[in-house]
Amino acid sequence: MSKLQAVLNGTVPPGVYRFISRAGVDTLMEEAAAAGWRLFYLDGAAIEDKASLMAASQAAFALPGYVARNWDALEEAINDLAWAPAQGYIVLIDDVSALAARDPHTWTTALDILSTAAANWSQTSTPMYILLRRTGRSAPEIATL
C-alpha cells in the first residue's frame, strides 16, 4: 500500500502530515483522482512571499475569480471548495522548507489556515489532508506519514 493509499482509505485520520514520498505529482494526482479525490498541488520552491502564495493558491485550487487574494478570502475558499466537489481533498505542498526560510510569517499563517481547514473538513463526510514534502526543520512538531 502506498503512503497516499493510507490517506485515501482513511487509515490515518485527517490532518497535517510530513509526507515522505518520491512519487511524482502527476502520479499522486492520478491516484487521488482514481479514488474520487482532489489533490491540490503547491510548489513551495516557487513561492517567495504572501503574494506568490496567493497566486499559487489561486491556480492550485482553481479559485473562482471573485475570491480575493488575502488571508480571509483564502481561508473561506479552502473551507468551501463548492466548485471542486470530491470524496476528499489533499493539499500537497513541496519544498516547504524553502518557503519557511524565505518568509516564515507567510508560512506560519498559511499552515494555520490549512490546519484549521483540515480540522473543519474532518467534521464533515469529506476529509482533508495537508501533506508537506521536504519540510526540513520548518515543521518539527508535525507527524510523519
Side-chain angles (χ1 to χ4, degrees):
M1 170 175 19
S2 75
K3 290 181 183 179
L4 191 60
Q5 282 301 315
V7 167
L8 297 173
N9 67 23
T11 302
V12 295
V16 180
Y17 295 93
R18 287 173 179 255
F19 186 59
I20 312 298
S21 170
R22 292 184 185 165
V25 174
D26 289 340
T27 300
L28 294 171
M29 283 186 165
E30 289 170 9
E31 192 174 349
W37 286 55
R38 298 281 297 248
L39 188 144
F40 305 105
Y41 175 69
L42 292 111
D43 181 2
I47 300 172
E48 302 277 329
D49 53 17
K50 179 182 176 183
S52 58
L53 174 68
M54 292 297 167
S57 297
Q58 183 81 26
F61 291 99
L63 298 177
Y66 60 81
V67 176
R69 291 188 178 190
N70 62 57
W71 292 126
D72 290 339
L74 180 63
E75 184 171 26
E76 284 182 30
I78 292 174
N79 282 285
D80 180 1
L81 297 174
W83 62 90
Q87 296 293 319
Y89 299 109
I90 299 165
V91 179
L92 173 64
I93 307 174
D94 270 336
D95 294 313
V96 170
S97 60
L99 171 58
R102 281 192 294 268
D103 192 340
H105 177 70
T106 291
W107 168 240
T108 301
T109 304
L111 182 59
D112 182 56
I113 288 170
L114 292 167
S115 298
T116 299
N120 291 343
W121 281 102
S122 73
Q123 303 303 311
T124 73
S125 61
T126 308
M128 176 180 273
Y129 291 81
I130 313 302
L131 304 181
L132 311 174
R133 289 203 292 191
R134 293 185 282 281
T135 60
R137 296 180 186 191
S138 62
E141 70 287 354
I142 295 174
T144 300
L145 180 64

